[in-house]
Amino acid sequence: MTLFLGLGIAGVVLLALSLIFDGLLEGLFGGLLDGLFDGLLSLPVIAGFLSMLGFGGAIVLGTTGAGTVAATAAGVLAGIVAAWLTWKFSRALMRDQTSATPRGTDLVGTSGSVVTAIPADGYGEVLLRMAGQTVKLAAKSPVPVERGTEIWVEATLSATSVAVRPVER
């Protein structure tokens, strides 16, 4: 019983360590194993197997009159199922891709409005829509632009400032 519980606890500890060291086993031996097991040697998969081997074996040993061999067999079976489920779940999470992160260059060509007047060759502030969110950025223009004027973004100067021009209608 102690051996099974020790294996289960070791699996849980390994799972916690996998948050930091995942991919370590796949990168061993100079990349020799790279792609060979396709994630089956990842630490979460091994931790799932080890913890279910230990806890499954302990449960069978403690609740039935079966011996150590039957408890080990049940633990191995539970470990294989847990490892397979962990592997499938991690592959599904890796395929879950989000849309691209918006960049400052995505603002070029968008319209907005001036919130703080922009002096000639000076800075003011504009409101723009970026990825569905309203953002307030510093803005520079070669000509003075009054508050409330609609503008177009011509260039991104930095992460927090843009070059703009007033919209002419």
Side-chain angles (χ1 to χ4, degrees), residues 37 48 76 81 102 110 118 127 130-131 140 164:
F37 295 103
V76 167
V81 170
T110 60
I118 306 170
L127 281 180
M130 181 175 190
K140 188 174 186 176
V164 299

Side-chain angles (χ1 to χ4, degrees), residues 41-166:
L41 272 185
S42 67
L43 286 178
V45 170
I46 292 172
F49 173 79
L50 192 60
S51 62
M52 285 308 293
L53 166 66
F55 292 135
I59 289 169
V60 169
L61 191 62
T63 59
T64 66
T68 307
V69 174
T72 302
V76 167
L77 181 63
I80 289 172
V81 170
W84 182 79
L85 288 173
T86 304
W87 177 64
K88 292 300 268 183
F89 185 62
S90 64
R91 285 181 50 124
L93 287 176
M94 291 301 225
R95 281 193 309 267
D96 185 27
Q97 301 294 323
T98 60
S99 59
T101 304
R103 303 190 189 290
T105 55
D106 294 339
L107 290 172
V108 176
T110 60
S111 65
S113 62
V114 176
V115 241
T116 304
I118 306 170
D121 290 322
Y123 282 94
E125 292 178 321
V126 293
L127 281 180
L128 302 169
R129 302 250 331 142
M130 181 175 190
Q133 300 293 319
T134 303
V135 290
K136 185 161 114 177
L137 298 173
K140 188 174 186 176
S141 175
V143 297
V145 184
E146 294 300 318
R147 182 175 188 260
T149 305
E150 185 179 2
I151 51 90
W152 285 100
V153 177
E154 290 186 320
T156 305
L157 303 176
S158 71
T160 59
S161 65
V162 291
V164 299
R165 69 173 173 83

